[in-house]
Amino acid sequence: MKIKYRSNLVAGIVSIILGIICWMIIPTQIAEDYAVTYGITSKTVPYAVALLWIVCGAVLAVQSLVFKKDEIKVLDAAKEAKALGYMLVLLIYAVLFRRSFLISTMLLGVATLAFTGSRKKSYYVIVLMVVVILYLLFSKVLHVQMP
């Protein structure tokens, strides 16, 4: 299945949406600095970045809709299915990471090798051994608390 889209318009819309999301989550992620009553606070730079994100998205959307400066690109969904599958693997990794570093990272390593088409069993063993060694190094030697 092939999907046609306007590159500037889609990038502009995505940028505006992400900028709005960023703007909305700033108050929940950055504490209010009560010592400062004026000027630059801990929220100033994140708000500026979110605003810049929104403005750049709006410029791209205007270029596409008003000035017709846009390319129509074709996305082959069948070719991109593998990439979407790997994004799903990364999402699963992020969820499992909260439970166990060791298991989630082992699964990510094995899944990455499988997605790249690696057939050598020694590569899988090496990845698993490196993950275990890193886990032991960080948790037992460096005393870093791992999930």
Side-chain angles (χ1 to χ4, degrees), residues 81-103:
K82 188 174 181 180
L84 290 173
Y86 193 70
M87 285 184 211
L88 181 63
V89 167
L90 290 175
L91 183 64
I92 293 169
Y93 172 73
V95 171
L96 290 178
F97 187 82
R98 294 179 183 214
R99 300 277 186 230
S100 171
F101 166 82
L102 190 60
I103 294 171

Side-chain angles (χ1 to χ4, degrees), residues 12-59:
I13 291 170
V14 169
S15 180
I16 291 169
I17 290 170
L18 291 176
I20 291 170
I21 290 171
C22 184
W23 189 279
M24 290 171 45
I25 66 170
I26 288 171
T28 65
Q29 299 298 314
I30 302 173
E32 189 68 40
D33 190 5
Y34 294 108
V36 178
T37 57
Y38 64 92
I40 297 176
T41 67
S42 57
K43 294 182 181 182
T44 303
V45 172
Y47 275 129
V49 169
L51 182 63
L52 184 63
W53 214 343
I54 294 168
V55 169
C56 288
V59 168

